Amino acid sequence: MARLILDESGKRRAFKLNDGRLTLGSGEENALVLSSPDVADVHAELRVEEGVVTLVPRKGVVPPTLLGRPVKGPTRLAANAEFKIGGAVFRLTSDEAPPKAGDARAARTSAASRRRETVQHRRRTVKRGMPGWVVVLIVVVVCVGGYFFVTNWLEEGLNVEGGDPRARYSDAVLAYNEGSAKRAQEELARIDLTQVTPDLKAKVEEMQSKIDADIERAKLNEHNMKGTEWLDSNLKAYAKGFLSGDRAERPKARYFIKRCDEFTDKWPQHPELSWVRRYRERFAEIAEMDSPAEFADLEWEVKRRTAAKPRDYVLVFELIEDFLQDASGNTREAAQALFEEQVTGREAYFLDRMQQSKYEWENGQYGKAVEWLVQVIVQIGDEGMEEQAIDFFLKMQTKEGEPLSDRYLESYQKHRPEQFEVLMRQARLREAARSAGLL
């Protein structure tokens, strides 16, 4: 297993690199927080997969350097590679090999020799004049005192079923310092807090609190990474393409403001939230959000929300129906025509997504096949189409005959709870989840 050595501000830290992602930066949300100057909130990340370590710098930051050269894109790191971020120096190493058998034997021989020398020395001391009865008295005192000491120590600190709690705690500290919070948590869980001293109990609880905080920070970091992808593709790219120069028209600005609010609601602790607020304020006057929507506003938003996949037709038809409630005359006719246009577009989109899902399934790409069906069920906004997608989903099996519904409903419950909640509004999917023991 690879290890990461970090030298920063005169201090050295070491971490074991398990498979997954490790973010590096100055923000508290990172898995590894750096204090060096010129380090962005989220500066880069390390992706570890089956022992292969890849350095991925974030866009817009001062690039990390590897062998004196800037790293501007994902770069696979060789063994013993050394790279820098600001004043922090990182180096990859392998776990140290265990000592050779010959060395171990030599060490044991040397230790045995020292023990013999010590014993011989003590024997010579006794022979020089210590009476035998004194030796016997010393042995008795030591044995009696040792008995009571060990008995008391066992009563206060030893958990027979879980092993020595002090050793468990030490193992947990070691695992935590090596970057394995999961292993540290497992060691702490094996300590019976009702059988330890108050001092050790306080230490265990303090470490558990640290691990819990790290886990929450890691979850937040993972959530914010998804937010960064959304920010780049839905806000920054849009602002550059539609709001720069003299292109900031009211419909485009109103749509941008709505998307900014979506981002703020979903990622309230994102490190780039200040960018979102700053740009929202810049275009708020043009957007005139306090005034009712005009048909041009509606038309532009519907166009943007159906320009890419997946398409949220539930939201699209809600927008049109809300507008139709107060529309009249030519404006109403235009909105009604837009409604019919989206009905036709939705049908074509549905057939395309069902065919794509079938293609992915037949080629063994089960995750993609299920994802397209879930998007149809959640966002298509037509009961008949939803039922067709559910039928296909419940009939899907792997090549070995395993139903896909059990596996992927559990995955969505764990990793995409919002979509799982919407899926559970469907009676047949709710029954499938119950049969799989998920409800």
Side-chain angles (χ1 to χ4, degrees):
M1 180 181 293
R3 291 168 61 90
L4 181 68
I5 307 297
L6 166 60
D7 288 305
E8 183 184 34
S9 302
K11 297 181 180 179
R12 170 168 291 188
R13 290 183 281 172
F15 310 89
K16 279 190 176 181
L17 294 180
N18 299 307
D19 282 1
R21 296 182 175 185
L22 179 74
T23 54
L24 316 172
S26 59
E28 290 297 325
E29 72 278 2
N30 291 282
L32 185 53
V33 180
L34 305 178
S35 59
S36 300
D38 300 327
V39 176
D41 284 349
V42 182
H43 205 103
E45 77 175 28
L46 290 176
R47 297 176 183 174
V48 185
E49 185 174 356
E50 297 182 355
V52 177
V53 183
T54 303
L55 174 62
V56 184
R58 293 294 301 276
K59 295 179 181 179
V61 303
V62 177
T65 58
L66 176 66
L67 298 177
R69 297 181 179 179
V71 178
K72 298 182 179 179
T75 302
R76 179 174 175 175
L77 299 178
N80 299 318
E82 184 174 295
F83 64 94
K84 296 181 180 180
I85 297 178
V89 180
F90 299 84
R91 180 164 52 86
L92 286 182
T93 65
S94 299
D95 285 339
E96 294 182 0
K100 296 180 180 179
D103 295 340
R105 284 196 298 270
R108 288 195 296 271
T109 301
S110 176
S113 299
R114 288 193 298 271
R115 285 195 298 271
R116 283 197 297 271
E117 292 174 0
T118 301
V119 172
Q120 291 169 0
H121 175 71
R122 288 174 180 169
R123 285 175 180 172
R124 286 196 296 271
T125 302
V126 172
K127 288 179 180 179
R128 280 198 298 267
M130 179 176 288
W133 67 270
V134 175
V135 175
V136 173
L137 180 60
I138 291 174
V139 171
V140 171
V141 171
V142 169
C143 289
V144 173
Y147 169 79
F148 285 106
F149 172 79
V150 172
T151 302
N152 182 63
W153 180 77
L154 285 172
E155 289 178 350
E156 290 187 353
L158 185 61
N159 176 2
V160 177
E161 294 184 358
D164 181 359
R166 290 179 175 81
R168 295 289 182 209
Y169 175 74
S170 298
D171 290 342
V173 172
L174 179 62
Y176 180 80
N177 291 338
E178 291 178 342
S180 180
K182 181 179 179 181
R183 187 156 58 88
Q185 207 168 28
E186 291 172 352
E187 293 292 346
L188 294 181
R190 299 172 71 178
I191 300 176
D192 185 354
L193 295 181
T194 64
Q195 302 295 321
V196 300
T197 63
D199 179 61
L200 181 57
K201 180 180 179 181
K203 290 180 179 180
V204 170
E205 291 176 343
E206 181 182 4
M207 169 152 286
Q208 185 60 60
S209 297
K210 287 183 179 179
I211 293 174
D212 292 341
D214 287 350
I215 291 174
E216 290 303 315
R217 188 160 49 244
K219 289 180 179 179
L220 177 62
N221 183 49
E222 183 179 0
H223 179 64
N224 283 340
M225 287 177 65
K226 295 178 181 178
T228 298
E229 296 175 2
W230 199 95
L231 174 67
D232 291 343
S233 59
N234 290 284
L235 292 183
K236 290 186 176 181
Y238 181 90
K240 183 177 180 180
F242 297 106
L243 299 178
S244 59
D246 58 354
R247 288 179 285 182
E249 302 167 357
R250 170 183 151 130
K252 298 175 181 178
R254 285 176 72 94
Y255 178 71
F256 179 74
I257 295 295
K258 283 188 173 184
R259 299 297 265 177
C260 285
D261 293 343
E262 287 179 38
F263 181 88
T264 302
D265 290 341
K266 196 166 186 178
W267 290 281
Q269 294 178 276
H270 195 276
E272 294 190 72
L273 198 61
S274 58
W275 184 95
V276 178
R277 290 169 176 162
R278 187 169 66 253
Y279 269 71
R280 188 192 190 284
E281 184 177 355
R282 179 182 300 181
F283 296 104
E285 185 175 351
I286 300 174
E288 299 177 339
M289 298 302 293
D290 293 334
S291 64
E294 299 174 356
F295 178 73
D297 303 326
L298 172 67
E299 186 178 36
W300 177 256
E301 183 169 359
V302 168
K303 180 180 179 179
R304 294 308 309 164
R305 292 191 182 275
T306 56
K309 300 181 181 72
R311 299 176 185 174
D312 190 349
Y313 277 105
V314 172
L315 178 58
V316 165
F317 282 103
E318 284 180 357
L319 290 170
I320 300 175
E321 289 169 355
D322 287 346
F323 185 85
L324 282 169
Q325 289 182 0
D326 298 319
S328 61
N330 293 337
T331 301
R332 182 176 181 80
E333 291 179 4
Q336 190 63 49
L338 181 61
F339 185 94
E340 298 300 330
E341 178 185 323
Q342 294 307 310
V343 169
T344 303
R346 176 172 62 181
E347 184 174 354
Y349 173 78
F350 167 73
L351 294 175
D352 177 72
R353 292 304 88 201
M354 292 294 288
Q355 291 175 0
Q356 184 66 33
S357 178
K358 182 179 180 182
Y359 171 81
E360 301 289 4
W361 172 59
E362 291 174 344
N363 286 274
Q365 300 297 318
Y366 302 133
K368 293 181 180 179
V370 171
E371 184 173 2
W372 284 121
L373 291 179
V374 169
Q375 289 170 358
V376 167
I377 296 169
V378 171
Q379 298 179 319
I380 202 67
D382 179 270
E383 185 176 344
M385 296 177 183
E386 291 170 2
E387 289 298 325
Q388 290 183 57
I390 293 171
D391 280 339
F392 190 24
F393 176 54
L394 294 177
K395 291 176 182 178
M396 275 184 170
Q397 295 182 341
T398 64
K399 293 179 181 179
E400 293 75 23
E402 176 193 356
L404 292 181
S405 57
D406 293 357
R407 179 197 305 180
Y408 284 97
L409 283 176
E410 181 179 7
S411 177
Y412 272 76
Q413 183 186 45
K414 183 180 298 184
H415 302 292
R416 303 185 184 182
E418 293 179 359
Q419 288 185 322
F420 180 79
E421 183 180 349
V422 178
L423 291 173
M424 290 302 98
R425 298 172 188 169
Q426 302 287 346
R428 288 194 293 161
L429 293 180
R430 193 164 57 250
E431 182 58 35
R434 187 177 291 110
S435 299
L438 303 177
L439 299 178

PDB file of all heavy atoms in Angstrom, residues 5-37:
ATOM      1  N   ILE A   5       3.897  11.035   2.341  1.00  0.00           N
ATOM      2  CA  ILE A   5       4.655  11.781   3.338  1.00  0.00           C
ATOM      3  C   ILE A   5       4.505  13.270   3.030  1.00  0.00           C
ATOM      4  O   ILE A   5       4.739  13.701   1.899  1.00  0.00           O
ATOM      5  CB  ILE A   5       6.152  11.390   3.305  1.00  0.00           C
ATOM      6  CG1 ILE A   5       6.314   9.861   3.418  1.00  0.00           C
ATOM      7  CG2 ILE A   5       6.905  12.101   4.412  1.00  0.00           C
ATOM      8  CD1 ILE A   5       5.813   9.287   4.700  1.00  0.00           C
ATOM      9  N   LEU A   6       4.112  14.049   4.010  1.00  0.00           N
ATOM     10  CA  LEU A   6       3.925  15.490   3.844  1.00  0.00           C
ATOM     11  C   LEU A   6       4.890  16.229   4.762  1.00  0.00           C
ATOM     12  O   LEU A   6       4.884  16.015   5.976  1.00  0.00           O
ATOM     13  CB  LEU A   6       2.484  15.884   4.177  1.00  0.00           C
ATOM     14  CG  LEU A   6       2.209  17.380   4.376  1.00  0.00           C
ATOM     15  CD1 LEU A   6       2.537  18.171   3.118  1.00  0.00           C
ATOM     16  CD2 LEU A   6       0.760  17.607   4.788  1.00  0.00           C
ATOM     17  N   ASP A   7       5.719  17.087   4.168  1.00  0.00           N
ATOM     18  CA  ASP A   7       6.592  17.982   4.923  1.00  0.00           C
ATOM     19  C   ASP A   7       6.097  19.414   4.737  1.00  0.00           C
ATOM     20  O   ASP A   7       6.054  19.919   3.607  1.00  0.00           O
ATOM     21  CB  ASP A   7       8.042  17.855   4.429  1.00  0.00           C
ATOM     22  CG  ASP A   7       8.669  16.532   4.851  1.00  0.00           C
ATOM     23  OD1 ASP A   7       8.673  16.252   6.049  1.00  0.00           O
ATOM     24  OD2 ASP A   7       9.138  15.785   3.973  1.00  0.00           O
ATOM     25  N   GLU A   8       5.740  20.060   5.842  1.00  0.00           N
ATOM     26  CA  GLU A   8       5.189  21.413   5.756  1.00  0.00           C
ATOM     27  C   GLU A   8       5.471  22.148   7.056  1.00  0.00           C
ATOM     28  O   GLU A   8       5.222  21.625   8.145  1.00  0.00           O
ATOM     29  CB  GLU A   8       3.678  21.354   5.504  1.00  0.00           C
ATOM     30  CG  GLU A   8       3.037  22.727   5.329  1.00  0.00           C
ATOM     31  CD  GLU A   8       1.530  22.628   5.175  1.00  0.00           C
ATOM     32  OE1 GLU A   8       0.932  21.740   5.795  1.00  0.00           O
ATOM     33  OE2 GLU A   8       0.975  23.445   4.443  1.00  0.00           O
ATOM     34  N   SER A   9       6.014  23.356   6.927  1.00  0.00           N
ATOM     35  CA  SER A   9       6.285  24.218   8.087  1.00  0.00           C
ATOM     36  C   SER A   9       7.127  23.508   9.142  1.00  0.00           C
ATOM     37  O   SER A   9       6.884  23.648  10.347  1.00  0.00           O
ATOM     38  CB  SER A   9       4.962  24.693   8.701  1.00  0.00           C
ATOM     39  OG  SER A   9       4.188  25.394   7.744  1.00  0.00           O
ATOM     40  N   GLY A  10       8.101  22.722   8.692  1.00  0.00           N
ATOM     41  CA  GLY A  10       8.988  22.044   9.624  1.00  0.00           C
ATOM     42  C   GLY A  10       8.402  20.817  10.280  1.00  0.00           C
ATOM     43  O   GLY A  10       9.027  20.214  11.145  1.00  0.00           O
ATOM     44  N   LYS A  11       7.202  20.405   9.887  1.00  0.00           N
ATOM     45  CA  LYS A  11       6.565  19.227  10.465  1.00  0.00           C
ATOM     46  C   LYS A  11       6.373  18.172   9.391  1.00  0.00           C
ATOM     47  O   LYS A  11       6.166  18.490   8.222  1.00  0.00           O
ATOM     48  CB  LYS A  11       5.211  19.592  11.080  1.00  0.00           C
ATOM     49  CG  LYS A  11       5.306  20.567  12.241  1.00  0.00           C
ATOM     50  CD  LYS A  11       3.921  20.856  12.810  1.00  0.00           C
ATOM     51  CE  LYS A  11       4.001  21.827  13.973  1.00  0.00           C
ATOM     52  NZ  LYS A  11       2.661  22.136  14.527  1.00  0.00           N
ATOM     53  N   ARG A  12       6.426  16.914   9.804  1.00  0.00           N
ATOM     54  CA  ARG A  12       6.241  15.801   8.873  1.00  0.00           C
ATOM     55  C   ARG A  12       5.036  14.972   9.323  1.00  0.00           C
ATOM     56  O   ARG A  12       4.892  14.640  10.500  1.00  0.00           O
ATOM     57  CB  ARG A  12       7.490  14.928   8.803  1.00  0.00           C
ATOM     58  CG  ARG A  12       7.287  13.616   8.039  1.00  0.00           C
ATOM     59  CD  ARG A  12       8.590  12.906   7.744  1.00  0.00           C
ATOM     60  NE  ARG A  12       9.376  13.640   6.762  1.00  0.00           N
ATOM     61  CZ  ARG A  12      10.487  13.177   6.201  1.00  0.00           C
ATOM     62  NH1 ARG A  12      10.945  11.985   6.535  1.00  0.00           N
ATOM     63  NH2 ARG A  12      11.150  13.901   5.307  1.00  0.00           N
ATOM     64  N   ARG A  13       4.195  14.653   8.350  1.00  0.00           N
ATOM     65  CA  ARG A  13       3.057  13.778   8.606  1.00  0.00           C
ATOM     66  C   ARG A  13       3.056  12.657   7.581  1.00  0.00           C
ATOM     67  O   ARG A  13       3.508  12.832   6.447  1.00  0.00           O
ATOM     68  CB  ARG A  13       1.731  14.556   8.505  1.00  0.00           C
ATOM     69  CG  ARG A  13       1.521  15.543   9.638  1.00  0.00           C
ATOM     70  CD  ARG A  13       0.169  16.224   9.521  1.00  0.00           C
ATOM     71  NE  ARG A  13       0.184  17.295   8.530  1.00  0.00           N
ATOM     72  CZ  ARG A  13      -0.903  17.939   8.119  1.00  0.00           C
ATOM     73  NH1 ARG A  13      -2.091  17.582   8.587  1.00  0.00           N
ATOM     74  NH2 ARG A  13      -0.821  18.917   7.244  1.00  0.00           N
ATOM     75  N   ALA A  14       2.540  11.494   7.974  1.00  0.00           N
ATOM     76  CA  ALA A  14       2.499  10.336   7.080  1.00  0.00           C
ATOM     77  C   ALA A  14       1.091   9.764   7.056  1.00  0.00           C
ATOM     78  O   ALA A  14       0.403   9.727   8.079  1.00  0.00           O
ATOM     79  CB  ALA A  14       3.493   9.276   7.528  1.00  0.00           C
ATOM     80  N   PHE A  15       0.647   9.324   5.864  1.00  0.00           N
ATOM     81  CA  PHE A  15      -0.701   8.809   5.701  1.00  0.00           C
ATOM     82  C   PHE A  15      -0.667   7.581   4.789  1.00  0.00           C
ATOM     83  O   PHE A  15       0.072   7.551   3.806  1.00  0.00           O
ATOM     84  CB  PHE A  15      -1.634   9.852   5.064  1.00  0.00           C
ATOM     85  CG  PHE A  15      -1.586  11.183   5.738  1.00  0.00           C
ATOM     86  CD1 PHE A  15      -0.672  12.146   5.325  1.00  0.00           C
ATOM     87  CD2 PHE A  15      -2.447  11.475   6.770  1.00  0.00           C
ATOM     88  CE1 PHE A  15      -0.612  13.380   5.938  1.00  0.00           C
ATOM     89  CE2 PHE A  15      -2.406  12.707   7.395  1.00  0.00           C
ATOM     90  CZ  PHE A  15      -1.490  13.665   6.978  1.00  0.00           C
ATOM     91  N   LYS A  16      -1.470   6.582   5.124  1.00  0.00           N
ATOM     92  CA  LYS A  16      -1.663   5.472   4.206  1.00  0.00           C
ATOM     93  C   LYS A  16      -2.736   5.857   3.195  1.00  0.00           C
ATOM     94  O   LYS A  16      -3.747   6.447   3.548  1.00  0.00           O
ATOM     95  CB  LYS A  16      -2.093   4.209   4.964  1.00  0.00           C
ATOM     96  CG  LYS A  16      -0.935   3.462   5.597  1.00  0.00           C
ATOM     97  CD  LYS A  16      -1.387   2.114   6.119  1.00  0.00           C
ATOM     98  CE  LYS A  16      -0.196   1.327   6.678  1.00  0.00           C
ATOM     99  NZ  LYS A  16      -0.620  -0.016   7.166  1.00  0.00           N
ATOM    100  N   LEU A  17      -2.511   5.515   1.933  1.00  0.00           N
ATOM    101  CA  LEU A  17      -3.445   5.885   0.874  1.00  0.00           C
ATOM    102  C   LEU A  17      -4.313   4.685   0.522  1.00  0.00           C
ATOM    103  O   LEU A  17      -3.878   3.770  -0.167  1.00  0.00           O
ATOM    104  CB  LEU A  17      -2.684   6.375  -0.364  1.00  0.00           C
ATOM    105  CG  LEU A  17      -1.895   7.677  -0.181  1.00  0.00           C
ATOM    106  CD1 LEU A  17      -1.182   8.047  -1.463  1.00  0.00           C
ATOM    107  CD2 LEU A  17      -2.812   8.810   0.249  1.00  0.00           C
ATOM    108  N   ASN A  18      -5.554   4.686   1.016  1.00  0.00           N
ATOM    109  CA  ASN A  18      -6.510   3.666   0.621  1.00  0.00           C
ATOM    110  C   ASN A  18      -7.216   4.107  -0.652  1.00  0.00           C
ATOM    111  O   ASN A  18      -7.174   5.270  -1.038  1.00  0.00           O
ATOM    112  CB  ASN A  18      -7.540   3.448   1.738  1.00  0.00           C
ATOM    113  CG  ASN A  18      -6.876   2.984   3.024  1.00  0.00           C
ATOM    114  OD1 ASN A  18      -6.134   2.025   3.015  1.00  0.00           O
ATOM    115  ND2 ASN A  18      -7.137   3.696   4.116  1.00  0.00           N
ATOM    116  N   ASP A  19      -7.882   3.171  -1.340  1.00  0.00           N
ATOM    117  CA  ASP A  19      -8.606   3.514  -2.557  1.00  0.00           C
ATOM    118  C   ASP A  19      -9.657   4.584  -2.258  1.00  0.00           C
ATOM    119  O   ASP A  19     -10.355   4.525  -1.245  1.00  0.00           O
ATOM    120  CB  ASP A  19      -9.283   2.277  -3.150  1.00  0.00           C
ATOM    121  CG  ASP A  19      -8.292   1.387  -3.888  1.00  0.00           C
ATOM    122  OD1 ASP A  19      -7.102   1.742  -3.899  1.00  0.00           O
ATOM    123  OD2 ASP A  19      -8.709   0.361  -4.447  1.00  0.00           O
ATOM    124  N   GLY A  20      -9.769   5.562  -3.142  1.00  0.00           N
ATOM    125  CA  GLY A  20     -10.728   6.647  -2.971  1.00  0.00           C
ATOM    126  C   GLY A  20     -10.127   7.974  -3.374  1.00  0.00           C
ATOM    127  O   GLY A  20      -9.175   8.031  -4.158  1.00  0.00           O
ATOM    128  N   ARG A  21     -10.688   9.059  -2.856  1.00  0.00           N
ATOM    129  CA  ARG A  21     -10.249  10.402  -3.199  1.00  0.00           C
ATOM    130  C   ARG A  21      -9.815  11.140  -1.943  1.00  0.00           C
ATOM    131  O   ARG A  21     -10.462  11.034  -0.895  1.00  0.00           O
ATOM    132  CB  ARG A  21     -11.368  11.186  -3.898  1.00  0.00           C
ATOM    133  CG  ARG A  21     -11.771  10.601  -5.250  1.00  0.00           C
ATOM    134  CD  ARG A  21     -12.835  11.460  -5.905  1.00  0.00           C
ATOM    135  NE  ARG A  21     -13.166  10.997  -7.239  1.00  0.00           N
ATOM    136  CZ  ARG A  21     -13.993  11.628  -8.069  1.00  0.00           C
ATOM    137  NH1 ARG A  21     -14.577  12.753  -7.682  1.00  0.00           N
ATOM    138  NH2 ARG A  21     -14.239  11.140  -9.268  1.00  0.00           N
ATOM    139  N   LEU A  22      -8.734  11.891  -2.069  1.00  0.00           N
ATOM    140  CA  LEU A  22      -8.204  12.684  -0.956  1.00  0.00           C
ATOM    141  C   LEU A  22      -7.998  14.108  -1.462  1.00  0.00           C
ATOM    142  O   LEU A  22      -7.178  14.342  -2.341  1.00  0.00           O
ATOM    143  CB  LEU A  22      -6.878  12.085  -0.484  1.00  0.00           C
ATOM    144  CG  LEU A  22      -6.164  12.803   0.666  1.00  0.00           C
ATOM    145  CD1 LEU A  22      -6.901  12.526   1.965  1.00  0.00           C
ATOM    146  CD2 LEU A  22      -4.730  12.335   0.786  1.00  0.00           C
ATOM    147  N   THR A  23      -8.770  15.061  -0.939  1.00  0.00           N
ATOM    148  CA  THR A  23      -8.640  16.441  -1.384  1.00  0.00           C
ATOM    149  C   THR A  23      -7.587  17.173  -0.565  1.00  0.00           C
ATOM    150  O   THR A  23      -7.437  16.945   0.633  1.00  0.00           O
ATOM    151  CB  THR A  23      -9.986  17.183  -1.265  1.00  0.00           C
ATOM    152  OG1 THR A  23     -10.472  17.063   0.066  1.00  0.00           O
ATOM    153  CG2 THR A  23     -10.997  16.607  -2.229  1.00  0.00           C
ATOM    154  N   LEU A  24      -6.865  18.082  -1.233  1.00  0.00           N
ATOM    155  CA  LEU A  24      -5.787  18.841  -0.616  1.00  0.00           C
ATOM    156  C   LEU A  24      -6.081  20.330  -0.777  1.00  0.00           C
ATOM    157  O   LEU A  24      -6.420  20.776  -1.873  1.00  0.00           O
ATOM    158  CB  LEU A  24      -4.446  18.513  -1.286  1.00  0.00           C
ATOM    159  CG  LEU A  24      -4.143  17.045  -1.578  1.00  0.00           C
ATOM    160  CD1 LEU A  24      -2.876  16.914  -2.401  1.00  0.00           C
ATOM    161  CD2 LEU A  24      -3.998  16.271  -0.283  1.00  0.00           C
ATOM    162  N   GLY A  25      -5.958  21.106   0.276  1.00  0.00           N
ATOM    163  CA  GLY A  25      -6.196  22.542   0.171  1.00  0.00           C
ATOM    164  C   GLY A  25      -6.179  23.205   1.537  1.00  0.00           C
ATOM    165  O   GLY A  25      -6.003  22.556   2.571  1.00  0.00           O
ATOM    166  N   SER A  26      -6.398  24.518   1.533  1.00  0.00           N
ATOM    167  CA  SER A  26      -6.354  25.278   2.782  1.00  0.00           C
ATOM    168  C   SER A  26      -7.696  25.322   3.500  1.00  0.00           C
ATOM    169  O   SER A  26      -7.767  25.724   4.658  1.00  0.00           O
ATOM    170  CB  SER A  26      -5.880  26.711   2.496  1.00  0.00           C
ATOM    171  OG  SER A  26      -6.757  27.350   1.583  1.00  0.00           O
ATOM    172  N   GLY A  27      -8.784  24.942   2.820  1.00  0.00           N
ATOM    173  CA  GLY A  27     -10.105  24.983   3.438  1.00  0.00           C
ATOM    174  C   GLY A  27     -10.316  23.846   4.415  1.00  0.00           C
ATOM    175  O   GLY A  27      -9.795  22.743   4.235  1.00  0.00           O
ATOM    176  N   GLU A  28     -11.122  24.104   5.441  1.00  0.00           N
ATOM    177  CA  GLU A  28     -11.361  23.109   6.478  1.00  0.00           C
ATOM    178  C   GLU A  28     -12.138  21.912   5.954  1.00  0.00           C
ATOM    179  O   GLU A  28     -12.180  20.858   6.591  1.00  0.00           O
ATOM    180  CB  GLU A  28     -12.129  23.741   7.645  1.00  0.00           C
ATOM    181  CG  GLU A  28     -11.317  24.734   8.460  1.00  0.00           C
ATOM    182  CD  GLU A  28     -10.127  24.062   9.128  1.00  0.00           C
ATOM    183  OE1 GLU A  28     -10.242  22.893   9.525  1.00  0.00           O
ATOM    184  OE2 GLU A  28      -9.076  24.705   9.251  1.00  0.00           O
ATOM    185  N   GLU A  29     -12.783  22.048   4.789  1.00  0.00           N
ATOM    186  CA  GLU A  29     -13.578  20.948   4.262  1.00  0.00           C
ATOM    187  C   GLU A  29     -12.729  19.861   3.618  1.00  0.00           C
ATOM    188  O   GLU A  29     -13.235  18.801   3.247  1.00  0.00           O
ATOM    189  CB  GLU A  29     -14.588  21.483   3.224  1.00  0.00           C
ATOM    190  CG  GLU A  29     -13.973  21.920   1.890  1.00  0.00           C
ATOM    191  CD  GLU A  29     -13.382  23.323   1.951  1.00  0.00           C
ATOM    192  OE1 GLU A  29     -13.418  23.937   3.039  1.00  0.00           O
ATOM    193  OE2 GLU A  29     -12.901  23.802   0.921  1.00  0.00           O
ATOM    194  N   ASN A  30     -11.419  20.110   3.462  1.00  0.00           N
ATOM    195  CA  ASN A  30     -10.553  19.134   2.798  1.00  0.00           C
ATOM    196  C   ASN A  30     -10.228  17.951   3.696  1.00  0.00           C
ATOM    197  O   ASN A  30     -10.232  18.056   4.922  1.00  0.00           O
ATOM    198  CB  ASN A  30      -9.243  19.810   2.358  1.00  0.00           C
ATOM    199  CG  ASN A  30      -9.462  20.795   1.237  1.00  0.00           C
ATOM    200  OD1 ASN A  30      -9.616  20.407   0.083  1.00  0.00           O
ATOM    201  ND2 ASN A  30      -9.482  22.071   1.568  1.00  0.00           N
ATOM    202  N   ALA A  31      -9.923  16.819   3.046  1.00  0.00           N
ATOM    203  CA  ALA A  31      -9.471  15.654   3.803  1.00  0.00           C
ATOM    204  C   ALA A  31      -8.097  15.906   4.400  1.00  0.00           C
ATOM    205  O   ALA A  31      -7.772  15.415   5.468  1.00  0.00           O
ATOM    206  CB  ALA A  31      -9.445  14.426   2.892  1.00  0.00           C
ATOM    207  N   LEU A  32      -7.264  16.684   3.683  1.00  0.00           N
ATOM    208  CA  LEU A  32      -5.933  17.027   4.167  1.00  0.00           C
ATOM    209  C   LEU A  32      -5.767  18.538   4.075  1.00  0.00           C
ATOM    210  O   LEU A  32      -5.682  19.101   2.984  1.00  0.00           O
ATOM    211  CB  LEU A  32      -4.859  16.322   3.325  1.00  0.00           C
ATOM    212  CG  LEU A  32      -3.407  16.494   3.775  1.00  0.00           C
ATOM    213  CD1 LEU A  32      -3.268  16.127   5.243  1.00  0.00           C
ATOM    214  CD2 LEU A  32      -2.489  15.612   2.946  1.00  0.00           C
ATOM    215  N   VAL A  33      -5.783  19.219   5.218  1.00  0.00           N
ATOM    216  CA  VAL A  33      -5.754  20.680   5.270  1.00  0.00           C
ATOM    217  C   VAL A  33      -4.305  21.161   5.305  1.00  0.00           C
ATOM    218  O   VAL A  33      -3.505  20.698   6.125  1.00  0.00           O
ATOM    219  CB  VAL A  33      -6.518  21.198   6.511  1.00  0.00           C
ATOM    220  CG1 VAL A  33      -6.481  22.718   6.556  1.00  0.00           C
ATOM    221  CG2 VAL A  33      -7.954  20.710   6.479  1.00  0.00           C
ATOM    222  N   LEU A  34      -3.970  22.109   4.398  1.00  0.00           N
ATOM    223  CA  LEU A  34      -2.614  22.645   4.300  1.00  0.00           C
ATOM    224  C   LEU A  34      -2.584  24.069   4.842  1.00  0.00           C
ATOM    225  O   LEU A  34      -3.554  24.824   4.705  1.00  0.00           O
ATOM    226  CB  LEU A  34      -2.141  22.634   2.844  1.00  0.00           C
ATOM    227  CG  LEU A  34      -2.205  21.283   2.115  1.00  0.00           C
ATOM    228  CD1 LEU A  34      -1.763  21.431   0.674  1.00  0.00           C
ATOM    229  CD2 LEU A  34      -1.351  20.251   2.831  1.00  0.00           C
ATOM    230  N   SER A  35      -1.462  24.450   5.431  1.00  0.00           N
ATOM    231  CA  SER A  35      -1.319  25.790   6.005  1.00  0.00           C
ATOM    232  C   SER A  35      -0.374  26.673   5.210  1.00  0.00           C
ATOM    233  O   SER A  35      -0.183  27.839   5.540  1.00  0.00           O
ATOM    234  CB  SER A  35      -0.807  25.678   7.456  1.00  0.00           C
ATOM    235  OG  SER A  35       0.449  25.015   7.494  1.00  0.00           O
ATOM    236  N   SER A  36       0.241  26.123   4.157  1.00  0.00           N
ATOM    237  CA  SER A  36       1.207  26.890   3.376  1.00  0.00           C
ATOM    238  C   SER A  36       0.524  28.013   2.604  1.00  0.00           C
ATOM    239  O   SER A  36      -0.638  27.887   2.207  1.00  0.00           O
ATOM    240  CB  SER A  36       1.932  25.969   2.392  1.00  0.00           C
ATOM    241  OG  SER A  36       2.610  24.944   3.074  1.00  0.00           O
ATOM    242  N   PRO A  37       1.218  29.129   2.374  1.00  0.00           N
ATOM    243  CA  PRO A  37       0.639  30.208   1.574  1.00  0.00           C
ATOM    244  C   PRO A  37       0.486  29.784   0.114  1.00  0.00           C
ATOM    245  O   PRO A  37       1.075  28.794  -0.319  1.00  0.00           O
ATOM    246  CB  PRO A  37       1.677  31.336   1.715  1.00  0.00           C
ATOM    247  CG  PRO A  37       2.952  30.641   2.072  1.00  0.00           C
ATOM    248  CD  PRO A  37       2.567  29.452   2.881  1.00  0.00           C
TER     249      PRO A  37
END
